[in-house]
Amino acid sequence: MSDFLTSGATGEGYATVSRNGVVLDAWFPEARLAPAGGQAATMRLHHSDVEGYARTDDIRRVEIVPIRTGIASLQDAPVDVHDAYLRLHLLSLRQVRPNTVNLDNIFQLIPTVAWTTLGPCTLDDLDEARIEARIRGVGLDVKGIDKIPRMTDYVVPGGVRIADAGRVRLGAYLAEGTMVMHEGFCNYNAGTLGACMVEGRISQGIVVGAGSDIGGGASLMGTLSGGGKEKVSVGERCLIGANAGLGIALGDDCVIEAGCYLTAGALVKLEDGRTVKARELSGQSGLLFWRNSRTGGLEAIKRKKVWGGLNPQLHAKAS
């Protein structure tokens, strides 16, 4: 992984193409880093490694074609759907880390589709596909309507547990030993850098350090919407209490009290009596953030106790 900042990439797989020529997705069973400067293009292959997989699907009115995609540099912006999907695969395969690969304009490149149990389908063809499936006695359920699919339909990283696969998007980076519980969520270009407990929301662009626990209902604020510019991250061995919120970077060994919402502009009283905006504490380690039960004001103090940490039995490597 040490060379990914200057790398290109290549992948072989399959693209789903609508009857109007729109690329709906790309699946890369083989995706890897490659020396920078290679050919940046997608070419259609004339053979398939999986017999019968490349075909025409008359129910969804799509064609599944074998492809090879190359990216000259992962620091260049993606140019099409194949390119964007290859980058998302590399993230979920743990070959590159969040915030190290250019994903500019990815939402403008990737179409919104219906994710069905038969694969992606255009919204215009969905009703006819549903009828045709019923005529043929084939089950077709719509799992969602979105741009980026769930990760486990394309990549299943080793050594992780995901209670609800629909809550982890392709492009999530989950380190070995991570547990995403039923109410946990991890967006693309975000994730964990070591064994973590995720019962809250990890928004796009956020990384969580090893040994940290994101409590139930907690929200790590991203910058995908709302115009926020503060870089949010969580260090190692941190505890974000249930229903808490975070809008700054935390250093290592920090705790946010349950229900405490810490935005970048929130006023926080320190032990020396000063009051500062939370962003001035961004990145500092060993802090406990809580709300004073008498005054209701936010306070930050140096931690004097150590929380129990993750349960090693729960985060042991999956067998």
Side-chain angles (χ1 to χ4, degrees), residues 225-267:
S225 61
K229 297 180 180 179
E230 194 70 25
K231 194 66 175 178
V232 180
S233 62
V234 177
E236 297 184 353
R237 300 174 302 280
C238 291
L239 173 63
I240 314 298
N243 298 315
L246 178 66
I248 64 172
L250 288 186
D252 298 334
D253 302 299
C254 289
V255 171
I256 299 182
E257 180 188 51
C260 181
Y261 220 88
L262 190 67
T263 60
L267 296 178

Side-chain angles (χ1 to χ4, degrees), residues 53-66:
Y53 190 77
R55 67 194 188 280
T56 297
D57 185 328
D58 293 330
I59 294 179
R60 291 180 288 143
R61 299 189 176 188
V62 300
E63 184 180 8
I64 301 169
V65 299

Side-chain angles (χ1 to χ4, degrees), residues 153-220:
D153 287 338
Y154 296 79
V155 175
V156 179
V160 303
R161 291 169 59 187
I162 303 172
D164 184 347
R167 299 183 65 83
V168 179
R169 287 174 119 183
L170 181 64
Y173 181 109
L174 299 182
E176 186 173 290
T178 293
M179 292 178 58
V180 183
M181 301 304 291
H182 290 82
E183 296 304 317
F185 173 83
C186 189
N187 211 337
Y188 76 98
N189 194 38
T192 61
L193 303 183
C196 291
M197 173 66 76
V198 181
E199 298 178 275
R201 177 181 178 85
I202 303 178
S203 298
Q204 192 274 141
I206 294 177
V207 292
V208 179
S212 291
D213 186 329
I214 312 302
S219 177
L220 308 184

Side-chain angles (χ1 to χ4, degrees), residues 5-269:
L5 290 175
T6 58
S7 289
T10 184
E12 290 189 7
Y14 303 88
T16 306
V17 184
S18 77
R19 56 177 172 163
N20 296 322
V22 177
V23 179
L24 305 184
D25 80 336
W27 173 42
F28 294 100
E30 296 184 24
R32 56 192 177 277
L33 299 179
Q39 185 179 14
T42 293
M43 62 186 304
R44 183 167 178 169
L45 303 178
H46 298 292
H47 67 280
S48 170
D49 290 337
V50 182
E51 185 177 355
Y53 190 77
R55 67 194 188 280
T56 297
D57 185 328
D58 293 330
I59 294 179
R60 291 180 288 143
R61 299 189 176 188
V62 300
E63 184 180 8
I64 301 169
V65 299
I67 58 169
R68 178 186 295 120
T69 295
I71 299 174
S73 172
L74 291 170
Q75 300 311 302
D76 295 337
V79 297
D80 58 20
V81 177
H82 311 100
D83 184 326
Y85 265 83
L86 180 51
R87 294 168 196 248
L88 294 174
H89 276 71
L90 292 171
L91 282 159
S92 289
L93 289 167
R94 302 193 289 234
Q95 295 194 35
V96 296
R97 287 188 174 184
N99 303 317
T100 63
V101 175
N102 191 329
L103 297 175
D104 289 351
N105 300 318
I106 192 172
F107 271 15
Q108 284 68 46
L109 292 173
I110 295 179
T112 299
V113 303
W115 300 104
T116 79
T117 47
L118 298 182
C121 179
T122 69
L123 299 181
D124 290 340
D125 290 328
L126 180 59
D127 287 340
E128 291 184 25
R130 198 195 316 270
I131 293 172
E132 185 63 27
R134 292 184 180 184
I135 290 173
R136 301 189 188 192
V138 176
L140 186 153
D141 294 329
V142 178
K143 299 180 290 184
I145 298 173
D146 202 354
K147 289 182 176 289
I148 299 179
R150 62 184 187 179
M151 179 183 71
T152 54
D153 287 338
Y154 296 79
V155 175
V156 179
V160 303
R161 291 169 59 187
I162 303 172
D164 184 347
R167 299 183 65 83
V168 179
R169 287 174 119 183
L170 181 64
Y173 181 109
L174 299 182
E176 186 173 290
T178 293
M179 292 178 58
V180 183
M181 301 304 291
H182 290 82
E183 296 304 317
F185 173 83
C186 189
N187 211 337
Y188 76 98
N189 194 38
T192 61
L193 303 183
C196 291
M197 173 66 76
V198 181
E199 298 178 275
R201 177 181 178 85
I202 303 178
S203 298
Q204 192 274 141
I206 294 177
V207 292
V208 179
S212 291
D213 186 329
I214 312 302
S219 177
L220 308 184
M221 299 176 229
T223 58
L224 193 59
S225 61
K229 297 180 180 179
E230 194 70 25
K231 194 66 175 178
V232 180
S233 62
V234 177
E236 297 184 353
R237 300 174 302 280
C238 291
L239 173 63
I240 314 298
N243 298 315
L246 178 66
I248 64 172
L250 288 186
D252 298 334
D253 302 299
C254 289
V255 171
I256 299 182
E257 180 188 51
C260 181
Y261 220 88
L262 190 67
T263 60
L267 296 178
V268 180
K269 186 176 181 180

Side-chain angles (χ1 to χ4, degrees), residues 263-285:
T263 60
L267 296 178
V268 180
K269 186 176 181 180
L270 306 180
E271 290 179 280
D272 61 9
R274 291 183 299 128
T275 297
V276 300
K277 289 187 176 180
R279 65 169 56 93
E280 297 181 43
L281 304 174
S282 190
Q284 294 191 28
S285 297

